[in-house]
């Protein structure tokens, strides 16, 4: 290679490091970072799990950015895919229901920036995403959500699709332990040390967001709400319950690891029970 070409390549590599690796296989687990040929090759050479992880956009007082669920879903989805090994993550679904009690409007709807979809639309969207992955060759699909509302719909969609496709060797799983089971463990840990961990905008909500996207937390605006019921009391006028003030990124990393481990354990158990892909 001529000397001028070597120097040019070195300069390009320094200024634009992504250019030098343009022809390399993507290290990302996210579908949007891959080409269709790369995905097809992965599907054809193994039995990758297509992970559909739902976030959500809702107000959580003055201290947490509206995208907290989206940021966490992306981080946890990536960690789950890496733990499973043969897995890819669909684009994070940014919308979720915000349901009130007994069919009443959600208390979050009065806060600016909250985006809510109906449970029916949420379920339909997840079903269509799953069907798209199946149409592209995926034979293992996992549905998850970082948001409390929507868990029922994810479970129902997974059961319905699994019943439809299992005879064809395609399995669809609802992975709820990373939300419900892990949340109980996290909040029980808080009770054990006399510190309420729960709440909308409370300790775990804030700490987990700090761990994955620190700039999404306005530390100077952290203030407690109702700390009854382990922090899961009524929302105050700003939409906060619990006490976020002790939150740190380190605490958030621990809570996040509990969630990822719970999801990983559940998905691995389902994959083992399902057996290898056929055909």
């Amino acid at each position: 290679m001529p000397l001028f070409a070597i120097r040019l390549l070195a300069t390009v590599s320094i200024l634009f490091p992504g250019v030098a690796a343009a022809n390399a296989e993507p290290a990302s687990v996210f579908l949007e970072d891959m080409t269709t040929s790369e995905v097809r090759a992965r599907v054809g050479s193994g039995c990758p799990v297509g992970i559909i992880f739902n976030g959500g956009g809702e107000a959580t007082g003055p201290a947490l950015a509206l995208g907290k669920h989206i940021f966490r879903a992306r981080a946890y989805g990536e960690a789950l895919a890496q733990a499973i090994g043969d897995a890819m993550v669909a684009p994070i679904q940014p919308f979720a229901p915000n349901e009130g009690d007994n069919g009443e409007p959600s208390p979050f709807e009065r806060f600016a920036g909250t985006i809510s979809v109906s449970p029916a639309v949420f379920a339909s969207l997840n079903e269509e995403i799953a069907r798209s992955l199946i149409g592209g060759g995926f034979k293992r699909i996992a549905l998850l959500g970082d948001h409390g509302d929507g868990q029922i719909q994810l479970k129902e969609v997974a059961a319905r699709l699994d019943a439809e496709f299992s005879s064809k060797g395609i399995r669809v799983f609802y992975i709820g332990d990373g939300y419900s089971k892990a949340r109980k463990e996290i909040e029980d840990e808080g009770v054990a040390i006399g510190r309420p961990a729960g709440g909308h905008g409370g300790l775990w909500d804030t700490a987990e967001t700090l761990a994955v996207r620190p700039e999404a937390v306005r530390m100077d605006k952290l203030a407690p709400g109702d700390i009854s019921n382990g922090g899961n009391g009524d929302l105050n006028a700003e939409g906060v319950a619990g006490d976020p003030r002790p939150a740190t990124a380190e605490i958030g990393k621990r809570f996040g690891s509990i969630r990822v481990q719970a999801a990983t354990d559940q998905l691995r158990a389902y994959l083992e029970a399902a057996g290898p892909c056929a055909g």
Side-chain angles (χ1 to χ4, degrees):
M1 179 181 293
L3 181 59
F4 79 88
I6 295 174
R7 289 174 175 170
L8 177 60
L9 179 61
T11 301
V12 169
S13 297
I14 292 171
L15 294 178
F16 307 104
V19 173
N23 294 321
E25 285 293 316
S28 173
V29 298
F30 295 101
L31 282 178
E32 64 259 38
D33 294 330
M34 305 178 193
T35 69
T36 186
S37 299
E38 290 161 353
V39 175
R40 184 171 62 245
R42 286 278 302 275
V43 170
S45 63
C47 190
V49 181
I51 296 173
I52 302 171
F53 217 132
N54 292 265
E58 65 176 359
T60 312
L64 293 188
L66 292 158
K68 62 173 188 177
H69 287 300
I70 301 170
F71 307 145
R72 297 198 304 246
R74 185 173 178 85
Y76 298 162
E78 181 177 30
L80 175 60
Q82 291 172 341
I84 294 299
D86 195 9
M88 289 175 271
V89 184
I92 300 302
Q93 209 287 100
F95 306 117
N98 284 284
E99 301 178 76
D101 295 331
N102 302 316
E104 297 177 356
S106 165
F108 301 112
E109 290 181 2
R110 69 180 188 270
F111 296 110
T114 296
I115 297 176
S116 184
V117 297
S118 71
V121 166
F122 179 75
S124 180
L125 181 57
N126 275 273
E127 180 172 336
E128 294 300 325
I129 295 170
R131 288 184 182 276
S132 294
L133 293 181
I134 292 170
F138 284 84
K139 295 185 177 180
R140 301 289 183 265
I141 308 292
L143 296 172
L144 304 91
D146 188 68
H147 189 266
D149 291 334
Q151 297 292 328
I152 292 173
Q153 287 74 34
L154 293 176
K155 185 175 183 179
E156 291 173 346
V157 168
R160 183 166 61 253
L161 291 177
D162 193 59
E164 178 180 344
F165 287 103
S166 60
S167 63
K168 301 176 184 178
I170 298 167
R171 303 300 307 274
V172 182
F173 314 114
Y174 163 64
I175 307 301
D177 283 359
Y179 184 81
S180 300
K181 181 179 179 181
R183 176 172 177 170
K184 185 177 187 309
E185 181 177 344
I186 289 166
E187 294 189 3
D188 285 349
E189 183 177 292
V191 170
I193 61 174
R195 184 169 59 190
H200 187 75
L203 176 55
W204 66 253
D205 204 2
T206 303
E208 289 182 54
T209 305
L210 265 176
V212 303
R213 186 70 71 94
E215 63 270 27
V217 181
R218 318 303 191 239
M219 298 297 292
D220 62 329
K221 297 186 182 301
L222 294 179
D226 186 342
I227 62 170
S228 64
N229 191 27
N232 294 303
D234 293 333
L235 298 180
N236 64 15
E238 293 186 313
V240 174
D243 189 353
R245 293 175 298 177
T248 65
E250 288 306 310
I251 293 174
K253 289 176 183 177
R254 168 165 170 71
F255 290 168
S257 69
I258 291 173
R259 292 193 187 278
V260 172
Q261 189 62 59
T264 300
D265 290 347
Q266 187 179 21
L267 180 51
R268 280 178 174 162
Y270 281 151
L271 292 172
E272 183 178 352
C277 283

